[in-house]
PDB file of all heavy atoms in Angstrom:
ATOM      1  N   THR Q 254     -24.323   4.390 -13.146  1.00 98.00           N
ATOM      2  CA  THR Q 254     -24.376   3.802 -11.813  1.00 98.00           C
ATOM      3  C   THR Q 254     -22.969   3.581 -11.309  1.00 98.00           C
ATOM      4  O   THR Q 254     -22.158   2.927 -11.976  1.00 98.00           O
ATOM      5  CB  THR Q 254     -25.125   2.453 -11.831  1.00 98.00           C
ATOM      6  OG1 THR Q 254     -26.453   2.672 -12.305  1.00 98.00           O
ATOM      7  CG2 THR Q 254     -25.181   1.844 -10.439  1.00 98.00           C
ATOM      8  N   ARG Q 274     -26.037   7.772  -9.988  1.00 97.00           N
ATOM      9  CA  ARG Q 274     -26.519   7.203  -8.732  1.00 97.00           C
ATOM     10  C   ARG Q 274     -25.528   6.182  -8.233  1.00 97.00           C
ATOM     11  O   ARG Q 274     -24.774   5.588  -9.006  1.00 97.00           O
ATOM     12  CB  ARG Q 274     -27.891   6.546  -8.908  1.00 97.00           C
ATOM     13  CG  ARG Q 274     -27.834   5.212  -9.639  1.00 97.00           C
ATOM     14  CD  ARG Q 274     -29.178   4.517  -9.690  1.00 97.00           C
ATOM     15  NE  ARG Q 274     -29.046   3.139 -10.181  1.00 97.00           N
ATOM     16  CZ  ARG Q 274     -29.237   2.061  -9.438  1.00 97.00           C
ATOM     17  NH1 ARG Q 274     -29.574   2.188  -8.157  1.00 97.00           N
ATOM     18  NH2 ARG Q 274     -29.092   0.854  -9.945  1.00 97.00           N
ATOM     19  N   ARG Q 275     -25.511   5.983  -6.921  1.00 95.00           N
ATOM     20  CA  ARG Q 275     -24.675   4.946  -6.321  1.00 95.00           C
ATOM     21  C   ARG Q 275     -25.460   3.643  -6.278  1.00 95.00           C
ATOM     22  O   ARG Q 275     -26.648   3.628  -5.961  1.00 95.00           O
ATOM     23  CB  ARG Q 275     -24.258   5.319  -4.905  1.00 95.00           C
ATOM     24  CG  ARG Q 275     -23.393   6.556  -4.817  1.00 95.00           C
ATOM     25  CD  ARG Q 275     -22.972   6.797  -3.374  1.00 95.00           C
ATOM     26  NE  ARG Q 275     -22.421   8.136  -3.207  1.00 95.00           N
ATOM     27  CZ  ARG Q 275     -22.000   8.634  -2.053  1.00 95.00           C
ATOM     28  NH1 ARG Q 275     -22.080   7.894  -0.949  1.00 95.00           N
ATOM     29  NH2 ARG Q 275     -21.517   9.864  -1.993  1.00 95.00           N
ATOM     30  N   ASP Q 276     -24.779   2.554  -6.564  1.00 94.00           N
ATOM     31  CA  ASP Q 276     -25.408   1.246  -6.430  1.00 94.00           C
ATOM     32  C   ASP Q 276     -25.815   1.055  -4.971  1.00 94.00           C
ATOM     33  O   ASP Q 276     -25.022   1.288  -4.059  1.00 94.00           O
ATOM     34  CB  ASP Q 276     -24.429   0.150  -6.855  1.00 94.00           C
ATOM     35  CG  ASP Q 276     -25.108  -1.198  -6.967  1.00 94.00           C
ATOM     36  OD1 ASP Q 276     -25.449  -1.777  -5.911  1.00 94.00           O
ATOM     37  OD2 ASP Q 276     -25.274  -1.676  -8.092  1.00 94.00           O
ATOM     38  N   PRO Q 277     -27.058   0.642  -4.702  1.00 91.00           N
ATOM     39  CA  PRO Q 277     -27.500   0.459  -3.309  1.00 91.00           C
ATOM     40  C   PRO Q 277     -26.622  -0.490  -2.510  1.00 91.00           C
ATOM     41  O   PRO Q 277     -26.544  -0.384  -1.278  1.00 91.00           O
ATOM     42  CB  PRO Q 277     -28.929  -0.086  -3.464  1.00 91.00           C
ATOM     43  CG  PRO Q 277     -29.378   0.391  -4.803  1.00 91.00           C
ATOM     44  CD  PRO Q 277     -28.151   0.388  -5.661  1.00 91.00           C
ATOM     45  N   ALA Q 278     -25.952  -1.437  -3.189  1.00 86.00           N
ATOM     46  CA  ALA Q 278     -25.103  -2.404  -2.481  1.00 86.00           C
ATOM     47  C   ALA Q 278     -23.939  -1.731  -1.763  1.00 86.00           C
ATOM     48  O   ALA Q 278     -23.364  -2.305  -0.834  1.00 86.00           O
ATOM     49  CB  ALA Q 278     -24.570  -3.443  -3.457  1.00 86.00           C
ATOM     50  N   LEU Q 279     -23.582  -0.510  -2.162  1.00 84.00           N
ATOM     51  CA  LEU Q 279     -22.469   0.186  -1.523  1.00 84.00           C
ATOM     52  C   LEU Q 279     -22.771   0.536  -0.074  1.00 84.00           C
ATOM     53  O   LEU Q 279     -21.852   0.786   0.698  1.00 84.00           O
ATOM     54  CB  LEU Q 279     -22.126   1.462  -2.292  1.00 84.00           C
ATOM     55  CG  LEU Q 279     -21.471   1.262  -3.651  1.00 84.00           C
ATOM     56  CD1 LEU Q 279     -21.337   2.601  -4.382  1.00 84.00           C
ATOM     57  CD2 LEU Q 279     -20.103   0.627  -3.487  1.00 84.00           C
ATOM     58  N   ALA Q 280     -24.043   0.554   0.297  1.00 76.00           N
ATOM     59  CA  ALA Q 280     -24.417   0.922   1.656  1.00 76.00           C
ATOM     60  C   ALA Q 280     -24.263  -0.232   2.642  1.00 76.00           C
ATOM     61  O   ALA Q 280     -24.444  -0.037   3.845  1.00 76.00           O
ATOM     62  CB  ALA Q 280     -25.857   1.418   1.680  1.00 76.00           C
ATOM     63  N   HIS Q 281     -23.898  -1.414   2.146  1.00 65.00           N
ATOM     64  CA  HIS Q 281     -23.840  -2.597   3.008  1.00 65.00           C
ATOM     65  C   HIS Q 281     -22.441  -3.195   2.987  1.00 65.00           C
ATOM     66  O   HIS Q 281     -21.703  -3.069   2.024  1.00 65.00           O
ATOM     67  CB  HIS Q 281     -24.869  -3.638   2.555  1.00 65.00           C
ATOM     68  CG  HIS Q 281     -26.258  -3.076   2.459  1.00 65.00           C
ATOM     69  ND1 HIS Q 281     -27.010  -2.757   3.563  1.00 65.00           N
ATOM     70  CD2 HIS Q 281     -27.010  -2.734   1.375  1.00 65.00           C
ATOM     71  CE1 HIS Q 281     -28.169  -2.257   3.174  1.00 65.00           C
ATOM     72  NE2 HIS Q 281     -28.196  -2.239   1.856  1.00 65.00           N
TER      73      HIS Q 281
END
Side-chain angles (χ1 to χ4, degrees):
T254 300
R274 74 175 190 111
R275 297 183 194 178
D276 190 288
L279 289 173
H281 306 288

